[in-house]
Amino acid sequence: ELRYALDCAARLPLDEIIIIPVRLDDCTPPERIARQLQHVDMFGNWSAGMAQLRRTIDEECARRRRRRLPLAS
């Protein structure tokens, strides 16, 4: 599922957010994610991670509204 999602994301414009990887445990993100995508780290500080995740989603929703893109498919 992750490979399919990453392949789909590779076909979209770079500024379009469709995947937000989240680190929930003390682990190293897979190389492909670490190399190609930013991720939200919730392991160290849950509240800060949630705030970052919420900001990212809010910013993407606002960007899609401005460009009149669908919010979900």
Side-chain angles (χ1 to χ4, degrees):
E1 294 165 350
L2 179 58
R3 286 187 194 121
Y4 177 73
L6 291 171
D7 289 342
C8 289
R11 290 184 240 133
L12 296 172
L14 292 176
D15 66 339
E16 195 162 318
I17 297 173
I18 64 161
I19 300 170
I20 305 173
V22 176
R23 187 176 86 118
L24 299 173
D25 200 354
D26 187 15
C27 64
T28 302
E31 183 180 333
R32 187 171 178 191
I33 289 176
R35 186 179 66 240
Q36 294 179 353
L37 303 171
Q38 295 180 8
H39 66 279
V40 175
D41 188 359
M42 298 182 74
F43 177 70
N45 185 331
W46 183 266
S47 296
M50 285 300 291
Q52 182 184 359
L53 186 58
R54 179 62 192 238
R55 270 192 315 276
T56 300
I57 292 170
D58 288 346
E59 289 169 7
E60 179 63 9
C61 287
R63 187 189 71 78
R64 287 178 179 226
R65 283 188 191 97
R66 284 192 305 274
R67 297 176 80 191
R68 298 178 189 226
L69 297 172
L71 295 177
S73 37

